Amino acid sequence: PVLSGTYRNLAICHKSIGDFCEAVKLCRKALTIGENSLPATHPRLAFTYNKLAEILVATGETREASELC
């Protein structure tokens, strides 16, 4: 779970500098780790899904972002 949070935080940093492609990759990696190590209802996993949706919206991928909800 700690590694998942690290990837998520890196994704947030990349989003903040406008590197959306890398942000999406990092956030997806965080999700993969989280999905394999946390229960499906864990708040950290939900937070990671939320961050991925935010990044996707910033890139104009609103349809994919809405599918995460």
Side-chain angles (χ1 to χ4, degrees):
V2 173
L3 187 58
S4 174
T6 301
Y7 279 110
R8 184 185 58 242
N9 290 338
L10 284 170
I12 293 167
C13 290
H14 278 273
K15 177 186 177 250
S16 72
I17 62 170
D19 188 0
F20 299 111
C21 185
E22 188 64 19
V24 168
K25 288 179 193 175
L26 290 165
C27 210
R28 289 191 191 281
K29 188 162 188 148
L31 270 177
T32 299
I33 293 168
E35 288 171 341
N36 290 320
S37 60
L38 297 169
T41 57
H42 197 283
R44 286 186 199 155
L45 194 55
F47 184 67
T48 305
Y49 272 108
N50 179 276
K51 289 300 166 187
L52 178 57
E54 285 180 13
I55 296 165
L56 290 170
V57 166
T59 64
E61 297 292 332
T62 54
R63 184 177 201 170
E64 187 177 352
S66 68
E67 290 172 1
L68 295 173
C69 300

